[in-house]
Amino acid sequence: MSDRNVLVRGLAAIWRAIDGVRKVLHLIVLLFVFSIIVAALTSSAPSLPAKAALQIPLYGNLVEQLEGDPFDRALAELMDDVAPQVLVRDVVAALDYAADDPRIKVVVLDLGGLGGGGLSKARRIADALVTFRESGKLVIAHADYFSQTAYYLAAHADEVYIHPQGYLGLQGYGVYSNYFKDAIDKLKIDWNVFRVGTHKSFVEPYTRNDMSDEDRSSMSRILGQLWGLYKDGVSTARGIPADGLDEWVASLAEDLEQPGNTVASLAVAAGLVDAQLTRQQLRERIASLAGRDDESALGYQAAGLGDYVAQMRLLDSVNDSANKIAVVVASGEILNGYQPPGTIGGESTAELLMRARLDDEIKAVLLRVDSPGGSSFASEIIRHEVLALKAAGKPVVASLSSSAASGGYWISMAADRIVASEATITGSIGIFGMYPTFQRSLAALGIYTDGVGTSALAGTSRADREMTDESKRIAQATVDDGYDQFIGYVADHRGMRKEAVDRVAQGQIWTGRDALDNGLIDEIGDFEYAVSVAAELASLAEGDYSLQFYEPDLSPAEMLALQFLGGAQAIGVDIADFRSEPTAVRRLATLVESTLRPLTRFNDPRGVYAHCLCRFD
């Protein structure tokens, strides 16, 4: 065989390989396009029966914003691997739509998987339930196990049912933390703490083995007020004595020791629930109102929350007004830089506010805050964007959810109007910095650090060297200056004397009612009331505006990828098959990460934080 024939055969083989790859790529492209077409054809709004129950399953915690990068979350939803959360505004919107929807005959609240999220959010949903009931339609709430938050919502239903073997988890409010001082000492860590505020308790778990008297007094005051609001809400809704819940909690152990008593039977006797029903009996009750559906696992005709809200919002979008109020949700800890939803990034949240400022259709901005605080630097970046909005002639209303404390209050204080609920936790005006060093820990292992520098400050930021007196003085001076700036900004924005701010600051936390009395907020009201305030400040008449929620956008590539996966799912590919179950090591790592998150995620460039340990569920 000649060399020429060998060359020709070789080139031909290469060409066939290239042509084969071309055909495979062509097929992939065709499949991709076909999947998108199928997704488009199958993504029409789901039809609802002429008679149905609105099924609202509440699993996870109540949140103002779903956590995580939008693409990652959408992908997780396709793979059925998303962390359960309840977006409060979806529930409220569904109840609002359903009140006037003749197809919806009853609302069914499945509360067995609801965790916490804060009394303020629960009260907003409870108010929406009360408004829905004014339409004359029923609300049925049920669970095998009612958490405390779940029962608050159930109490505002027409009918409340518990499984005969169920449990009602009423226990009151409490705040308990781990304290690490002895462990830190045993590990030979020098935990250098710098703070301003007699009640700034965030650092106490690292400097003490128990709760300080100041923190105990402050927390007792807050817990008493929250429990009072909880009891008032339940007693009014259920028509039971105001002290009925206290009696239930106090006597539960003794009552359960009596023969024949169960938690479910005692709950019925106390008027906390209406009846004990098995799941079959519950289905029959709902089917009598919504119509039977023997092909459904529920046993009755139902519209799911997600599909129902998506359909109603699609119909609403046709009537969008040219005048809009932007809603920017600031939910979670405040960190520097760009952060995913569920966390407040100094840059990412400021960018959302900037987009609202540059959009001519936006006439006012509502900043919905649900945050215990975090980076003081990131908080200041966001505050300046609020000031820029006001300078552009666009009024800003801060609507405080379950918490808007410390840094959460920092980003709110420049608003034209601050509106909070009675159950909002706010204040905590104080500053701290923490700088652990590990030179003694390393020395115990036989590891030492030595070297030379051009000044006494050289190398003082290393975690393997003891802080010098100069570096400690600098750290304390920075924290002192941060506190002075904080109370100075509050004084300027709230029209108060700096000394008056200092008296209600010092790290003290307040409920919304206390904050109003102390001049830290302007009015008591929920989200819907805050929207009306924003409309009033922008001179917008009722019905002459719509809300636009500002969220991070998916890129075109991410949208195409999700459409492809959605199309693949539509033609029968089970995306969830690609999900891997978490191993024991991964579950342990997740637990450790969640425990250490407050420390590992902090990234303020100066190491100065305005943060509050103030979650109450």
Side-chain angles (χ1 to χ4, degrees):
M1 184 180 295
S2 67
D3 292 341
R4 181 177 180 277
N5 287 338
V6 172
L7 178 61
V8 170
R9 289 174 181 273
L11 291 175
I14 293 173
W15 171 252
R16 286 194 298 271
I18 293 173
D19 188 53
V21 172
R22 177 187 64 82
K23 290 178 179 179
V24 171
L25 291 175
H26 189 207
L27 179 61
I28 291 174
V29 171
L30 285 176
L31 286 173
F32 180 70
V33 173
F34 178 69
S35 298
I36 292 176
I37 293 173
V38 171
L41 292 175
T42 58
S43 61
S44 57
S47 60
L48 297 179
K51 181 181 180 182
L54 176 58
Q55 185 76 14
I56 303 182
L58 302 183
Y59 300 132
N61 287 333
L62 302 176
V63 297
E64 294 289 348
Q65 185 179 59
L66 297 176
E67 293 182 0
D69 176 81
F71 178 76
D72 291 341
R73 186 169 185 88
L75 186 60
E77 287 176 352
L78 283 172
M79 300 182 70
D80 196 25
D81 192 28
V82 66
Q85 291 181 319
V86 180
L87 189 59
V88 173
R89 71 171 181 259
D90 278 358
V91 179
V92 173
L95 292 168
D96 182 46
Y97 294 137
D100 298 320
D101 189 339
R103 298 169 298 179
I104 301 300
K105 305 302 180 183
V106 59
V107 164
V108 178
L109 294 178
D110 179 357
L111 297 168
L114 182 63
L119 181 58
S120 179
K121 300 186 192 73
R123 293 180 82 195
R124 185 183 171 197
I125 295 177
D127 289 343
L129 289 169
V130 172
T131 301
F132 172 84
R133 291 172 59 187
E134 292 173 357
S135 68
K137 302 176 184 181
L138 291 181
V139 177
I140 294 177
H142 71 90
D144 299 333
Y145 168 79
F146 286 100
S147 68
Q148 191 158 275
T149 300
Y151 181 70
Y152 187 85
L153 297 183
H156 291 79
D158 294 282
E159 301 174 11
V160 184
Y161 299 119
I162 189 171
H163 192 277
Q165 301 301 316
Y167 193 82
L168 181 58
L170 291 176
Q171 55 188 14
Y173 286 110
V175 175
Y176 297 91
S177 299
N178 296 122
Y179 291 82
F180 311 112
K181 183 180 184 303
D182 277 359
I184 289 171
D185 289 344
K186 289 177 180 177
L187 294 171
K188 300 184 183 299
I189 301 172
D190 290 344
W191 207 281
N192 303 282
V193 172
F194 309 91
R195 69 172 180 174
V196 180
T198 55
H199 290 70
K200 198 62 184 173
S201 60
F202 186 94
V203 301
E204 288 187 357
Y206 309 97
T207 61
R208 302 176 55 94
N209 289 321
D210 58 2
M211 181 180 282
S212 68
D213 291 340
E214 293 83 1
D215 193 32
R216 190 178 301 277
S217 173
S218 180
M219 291 299 178
S220 296
R221 171 174 50 81
I222 293 294
L223 293 173
Q225 292 184 51
L226 291 179
W227 185 232
L229 290 172
Y230 185 100
K231 292 188 296 182
D232 288 346
V234 170
S235 63
T236 301
R238 293 293 300 174
I240 61 177
D243 58 356
L245 295 188
D246 285 326
E247 293 178 359
W248 162 270
V249 173
S251 64
L252 182 60
E254 181 179 349
D255 290 341
L256 284 175
E257 291 173 345
Q258 304 304 313
N261 281 349
T262 65
V263 172
S265 66
L266 291 171
V268 174
L272 298 176
V273 303
D274 293 298
Q276 305 175 66
L277 292 186
T278 64
R279 294 181 181 178
Q280 290 75 17
Q281 291 171 326
L282 178 67
R283 293 190 193 106
E284 289 297 324
R285 171 58 184 149
I286 300 171
S288 70
L289 299 168
R292 186 180 303 278
D293 184 354
D294 293 328
E295 295 182 1
S296 166
L298 292 172
Y300 50 85
Q301 297 187 118
L305 174 66
D307 288 342
Y308 185 74
V309 170
Q311 186 179 101
M312 294 300 102
R313 284 185 175 149
L314 183 63
L315 295 173
D316 267 2
S317 65
V318 177
N319 300 317
D320 267 358
S321 170
N323 296 321
K324 293 182 170 62
I325 295 176
V327 180
V328 176
V329 178
S331 176
E333 290 178 319
I334 303 174
L335 304 177
N336 199 34
Y338 287 88
Q339 302 295 336
T343 309
I344 304 171
E347 299 295 340
S348 47
T349 302
E351 185 174 283
L352 294 177
L353 294 170
M354 180 184 66
R355 283 172 50 193
R357 172 165 54 87
L358 298 177
D359 189 338
D360 292 336
E361 290 189 338
I362 300 300
K363 308 304 179 184
V365 174
L366 189 145
L367 181 62
R368 180 67 167 172
V369 181
D370 187 29
S371 172
S375 165
S376 62
F377 181 81
S379 300
E380 181 65 357
I381 296 296
I382 296 170
R383 185 182 74 91
H384 273 279
E385 277 302 327
V386 173
L387 293 174
L389 276 162
K390 294 169 63 177
K394 298 188 177 185
V396 181
V397 174
S399 172
L400 312 189
S401 181
S402 294
S403 65
S406 215
Y409 184 76
W410 191 314
I411 66 176
S412 308
M413 61 183 168
D416 293 286
R417 203 80 62 86
I418 304 177
V419 180
S421 80
E422 289 182 304
T424 296
I425 303 301
T426 189
S428 190
I429 300 170
I431 297 287
F432 70 87
M434 294 192 297
Y435 308 92
T437 60
F438 303 92
Q439 72 282 350
R440 290 192 298 129
S441 308
L442 294 172
L445 299 173
I447 302 172
Y448 303 91
T449 304
D450 198 6
V452 65
T454 60
S455 74
L457 295 180
T460 55
S461 60
R462 293 175 60 105
D464 57 0
R465 294 191 67 210
E466 181 180 5
M467 288 190 74
T468 64
D469 289 341
E470 291 87 348
S471 60
K472 290 180 179 179
R473 288 164 54 197
I474 291 172
Q476 187 62 56
T478 302
V479 170
D480 290 341
D481 179 63
Y483 180 75
D484 188 66
Q485 282 187 339
F486 198 166
I487 63 173
Y489 293 151
V490 175
D492 290 342
H493 293 308
R494 301 301 303 165
M496 301 170 65
R497 294 175 60 247
K498 203 171 179 180
E499 295 77 13
V501 175
D502 187 43
R503 284 195 293 271
V504 299
Q506 295 293 327
Q508 299 175 87
I509 59 175
W510 310 101
T511 61
R513 180 60 62 184
D514 287 339
L516 180 64
D517 294 340
N518 289 323
L520 297 179
I521 68 169
D522 296 294
E523 296 179 78
I524 296 293
D526 58 13
F527 175 86
E528 286 70 25
Y529 178 74
V531 170
S532 70
V533 172
E536 177 188 349
L537 292 177
S539 300
L540 298 174
E542 185 175 353
D544 190 33
Y545 62 88
S546 58
L547 298 184
Q548 179 173 333
F549 283 82
Y550 271 71
E551 302 278 1
D553 295 324
L554 290 171
S555 69
E558 290 172 332
M559 293 178 66
L560 281 173
L562 291 174
Q563 285 180 322
F564 174 75
L565 291 171
Q569 192 174 57
I571 61 177
V573 178
D574 190 354
I575 306 298
D577 287 343
F578 298 98
R579 180 186 64 186
S580 61
E581 294 297 326
T583 63
V585 173
R586 181 179 165 190
R587 288 194 294 268
L588 178 60
T590 301
L591 176 62
V592 173
E593 193 276 334
S594 64
T595 303
L596 297 178
R597 183 179 298 171
L599 295 179
T600 58
R601 295 206 306 181
F602 279 0
N603 63 351
D604 187 278
R606 299 184 303 163
V608 178
Y609 301 95
H611 198 294
C612 173
L613 286 176
C614 49
R615 175 174 175 174
F616 304 93
D617 282 322

